[in-house]
Amino acid sequence: MSTGRAQAASEVSTGPEGSAGGESRAVERLASRFAETGLPRMSARVFAAVLVSPSGALTAAEIGQFLSISSGTVSTALQSLVRIGLIDRENQPGSRRDLYRVREDPWPDVFAIRSLWLREFAKGAMEDMQLLDESNSGGRARLMDMRDFGLFVMPKLEQIVVDWREHRASGSPGVPPEDAAGAPA
């Protein structure tokens, strides 16, 4: 194991609080929140493990060891996370192992994906509405509401991404947690 990998492995085993227990709890709490938004549970756990590691990068073997999951499970989760743009895969010169790193500011891309999903959501609602009998006014009205909601929210998500990128470029600090939702975090 190279010095860089040894350091990354020790980062995973000790965690940001100096104990594997604290890091494990943080990973599982984050994973639960990510899973609630639609990320598959194992992908959520893998993403959380990489996200909380001090360097923001781990090998597949380190992830599997930390989470006590099989290499196949790690591989499947990593492929999904790379595909949706939350992490990047980096080749390590002189090594057969790849390093998986949290992308710099992946959150706007997550919202952009949601916007595309909403577009399909609205389109699907219209297609489904056309399949319903004209006499099914209740079903048609609910599908119209679903479509209208998607079309209403979609540009707002797109604007959030634009605003966030402008905010980051300006160097302004983030919103304090107690102000983010109107109450203490």
Side-chain angles (χ1 to χ4, degrees), residues 28-108:
E28 295 307 325
R29 288 172 52 93
L30 279 167
S32 290
R33 287 192 290 268
F34 293 143
E36 287 172 6
T37 67
L39 198 60
R41 179 84 179 132
M42 278 302 153
S43 294
R45 290 184 72 216
V46 167
F47 180 59
V50 178
L51 183 68
V52 302
S53 69
S55 66
L58 299 169
T59 66
E62 291 163 346
I63 295 166
Q65 181 180 9
F66 177 69
L67 296 176
S68 299
I69 57 178
S70 73
S71 60
T73 300
V74 171
S75 178
T76 299
L78 287 170
Q79 288 173 11
S80 170
L81 293 166
V82 167
R83 186 176 59 252
I84 63 175
L86 290 174
I87 61 172
D88 288 324
R89 180 177 146 185
E90 298 175 5
N91 293 327
Q92 296 299 290
S95 173
R96 294 184 332 159
R97 293 185 180 185
D98 290 325
L99 195 62
Y100 294 89
R101 181 178 304 283
V102 175
R103 286 191 54 212
E104 183 70 29
D105 197 24
W107 313 115

Side-chain angles (χ1 to χ4, degrees), residues 1 5-25 27 49 52-55 57-58 61-67:
M1 186 182 270
R5 267 190 254 122
Q7 179 183 357
S10 72
E11 289 171 352
V12 170
S13 64
T14 60
E17 296 178 31
S19 73
E23 185 173 86
S24 292
R25 285 192 303 278
V27 165
V52 302
S53 69
S55 66
L58 299 169
E62 291 163 346
I63 295 166
Q65 181 180 9
F66 177 69
L67 296 176

